[in-house]
Amino acid sequence: MKIRGDLSAPVLAILVTIGVIAAGLVLLAWFWWFAPTAGHAGSLQILGQPAIDNSTKTAYISVKNTGNAPITIEGVVVKGQQCTFTQLQLQPGESKTITVNCTGVTIDLNERVVNGIIHTDYGVYTVSLVVV
């Protein structure tokens, strides 16, 4: 009795081999076209201890771009208040100290540290500023 539709072992082995080769080629093409752009990103590192002058409401934050693409700092928020700041772009490996005017921020006399957020085109970064 012969059953129709069964595949013999050699035919099945050939089909599986062709499928594995096709999957490998698809994966190789994906890496070839998409992987070079996936690795480019800016990354911000806070250097030292950021500070805010309570009398002038001026914040000083030293930052460095540790990524491999330019990063744009779009704004700074301190204690929920948007501070006056001009956009700044950092190239990979570049460091700068940014000066931010935060006149709308109210800092109590007993506060020693206030929290802030730095908005960039690659996300947000939290920062703790020492009150001086």
Side-chain angles (χ1 to χ4, degrees):
M1 179 175 202
K2 186 173 182 183
I3 300 175
R4 296 188 68 129
D6 273 346
L7 294 175
S8 65
V11 171
L12 188 60
I14 291 171
L15 290 175
V16 169
T17 302
I18 291 172
V20 169
I21 291 172
L25 290 174
V26 168
L27 186 63
L28 182 64
W30 184 84
F31 279 119
W32 179 264
W33 292 107
F34 296 113
T37 59
H40 294 286
S43 178
L44 198 66
Q45 178 183 8
I46 310 296
L47 302 174
Q49 177 60 62
I52 185 165
D53 186 341
N54 197 9
S55 60
T56 64
K57 302 295 192 266
T58 303
Y60 303 95
I61 307 168
S62 295
V63 292
K64 180 179 183 177
N65 181 358
T66 57
N68 57 6
I71 188 169
T72 302
I73 300 173
E74 299 169 342
V76 177
V77 175
V78 175
K79 288 188 71 172
Q81 297 289 324
Q82 183 72 34
C83 298
T84 306
F85 176 73
T86 305
Q87 283 190 355
L88 171 72
Q89 188 176 58
L90 292 172
Q91 297 301 318
E94 186 178 10
S95 301
K96 286 190 180 175
T97 299
I98 57 176
T99 305
V100 184
N101 186 354
C102 301
T103 54
V105 175
T106 304
I107 301 173
D108 295 331
L109 292 176
N110 59 350
E111 285 186 282
R112 295 291 167 231
V113 176
V114 294
N115 293 322
I117 298 172
I118 300 173
H119 292 275
T120 72
D121 55 346
Y122 283 102
V124 295
Y125 296 85
T126 59
V127 61
S128 296
L129 297 115
V130 172
V131 180
V132 293

